Amino acid sequence: MTDTPKLTKRLSVAASYARSGAFLADIGTDHAYIPIYLFKKGKIRGAVASDINEGPLMRARANLLRYKADGGITLNLSNGLDGIEKFSPDDILILGMGGELICDIISRAEFTKNKNIRLILQPMTHPEILRSFLSENGYSITDEAIIEEDKIYQVMVATYTGESCSLSPMELLFGRLNLSQGGEALVSLLKHHREILEARQRGRQSATANADNPYEDLLLSEINKKLTDLTKEI
Ligand SMILES: C[S@@+](CC[C@H](N)C(=O)[O-])C[C@H]1O[C@@H](n2cnc3c(N)ncnc32)[C@H](O)[C@@H]1O
């Protein structure tokens, strides 16, 4: 029997952004692997593992008992961040949900507008919608990563500063920091989106109706340009 759960690369990268000594809120916890892992490793002082559904919380409870972590982690049944403020979390994880749902959860929780709270987010879809929401609502993205395992995932870290900014279409989709950091996972993600956009472009070209999409065409040419630049660097 192992004394901590084994984290996938996606969960491991997200967990690495939790601060030492933090009290963690894991929203949509399901298995509760990250709170258990970080608590058992002594990195966090405690956590609330929260979910909207009973089934995932039963899984979380079984894991707390299995890994003997029930002393430091409280289970909570609620929608998003409802009722979480009373735990005064330092770091909030919202992983494995759609980008729009993550936006909705944050927008309903005014208490996250606090420069001491760190949001660690991993949207399964629409990272561009999440980045647009964050940047327009005063949350600064302070760190981000692209993780390639069974799929390609993006993790972003944000804190409320009150300063809004506007991101380009490339920055919304791939992340300003990711684009400046480069790397193989970025190349894979760019290629993935190039394939999608090329297929859509072919579909438009074969359609009889005029279905121009200058936005997607421009994005595709910027992706190609970035891929050329990155290939030169390698
Ligand atoms: C795909 S699982 C992700 C589990 C884990 N966070 C991970 O990334 O591996 C999504 C979880 O979010 C929960 N969930 C969905 N909507 C939610 C909401 N509005 N508030 C809290 N939890 C939610 C689901 O019940 C489910 O357990």
Side-chain angles (χ1 to χ4, degrees), residues 120-173:
I120 302 165
L121 311 171
Q122 184 264 306
M124 295 301 287
T125 55
H126 294 304
E128 75 285 5
I129 292 178
L130 180 55
R131 285 198 182 89
S132 168
F133 166 81
L134 293 169
S135 57
E136 284 169 15
N137 287 282
Y139 296 87
S140 292
I141 297 172
T142 56
D143 219 328
E144 53 191 1
I146 301 170
I147 300 120
E148 196 171 4
E149 43 183 3
D150 56 330
K151 289 188 199 153
I152 307 175
Y153 301 100
Q154 298 199 50
V155 174
M156 51 197 90
V157 180
T159 296
Y160 186 76
T161 58
E163 283 165 37
S164 300
C165 73
S166 122
L167 299 176
S168 72
M170 283 288 279
E171 290 170 336
L172 288 173
L173 201 49

Side-chain angles (χ1 to χ4, degrees), residues 17-203:
Y17 290 120
R19 293 170 288 184
S20 293
F23 188 90
L24 195 77
D26 184 23
I27 307 305
T29 194
D30 195 359
H31 38 68
Y33 282 162
I34 293 186
I36 295 172
Y37 179 89
L38 291 174
F39 182 68
K40 293 285 289 183
K41 293 275 179 195
K43 186 166 180 199
I44 55 168
R45 67 175 196 281
V48 53
S50 189
D51 208 286
I52 196 171
N53 291 308
E54 294 272 7
L57 282 181
M58 283 167 65
R59 249 191 308 280
R61 182 170 294 111
N63 285 331
L64 291 191
L65 297 174
R66 175 180 172 189
Y67 293 104
K68 299 185 173 49
D70 46 322
I73 300 168
T74 303
L75 294 176
N76 181 74
L77 179 70
S78 71
N79 183 358
L81 285 158
D82 295 356
I84 297 296
E85 187 174 8
K86 65 172 181 286
F87 294 97
S88 303
D90 305 294
D91 294 350
I92 295 173
L93 287 170
I94 314 178
L95 313 177
M97 292 185 208
E100 285 160 296
L101 177 56
I102 297 177
C103 294
D104 179 57
I105 288 174
I106 299 169
S107 66
R108 290 191 299 105
E110 273 291 304
F111 77 92
T112 60
K113 292 187 170 174
N114 176 334
K115 66 178 177 24
N116 297 315
I117 292 181
R118 175 178 285 191
L119 301 174
I120 302 165
L121 311 171
Q122 184 264 306
M124 295 301 287
T125 55
H126 294 304
E128 75 285 5
I129 292 178
L130 180 55
R131 285 198 182 89
S132 168
F133 166 81
L134 293 169
S135 57
E136 284 169 15
N137 287 282
Y139 296 87
S140 292
I141 297 172
T142 56
D143 219 328
E144 53 191 1
I146 301 170
I147 300 120
E148 196 171 4
E149 43 183 3
D150 56 330
K151 289 188 199 153
I152 307 175
Y153 301 100
Q154 298 199 50
V155 174
M156 51 197 90
V157 180
T159 296
Y160 186 76
T161 58
E163 283 165 37
S164 300
C165 73
S166 122
L167 299 176
S168 72
M170 283 288 279
E171 290 170 336
L172 288 173
L173 201 49
F174 302 106
R176 186 179 278 181
L177 296 171
N178 286 330
L179 287 167
S180 69
Q181 281 156 10
E184 283 178 21
L186 173 64
V187 170
S188 300
L189 189 61
L190 287 163
K191 285 182 176 167
H192 172 73
H193 280 279
R194 177 171 69 181
E195 262 177 43
I196 295 170
L197 288 167
E198 281 176 347
R200 290 164 64 97
Q201 196 177 55
R202 281 195 299 277

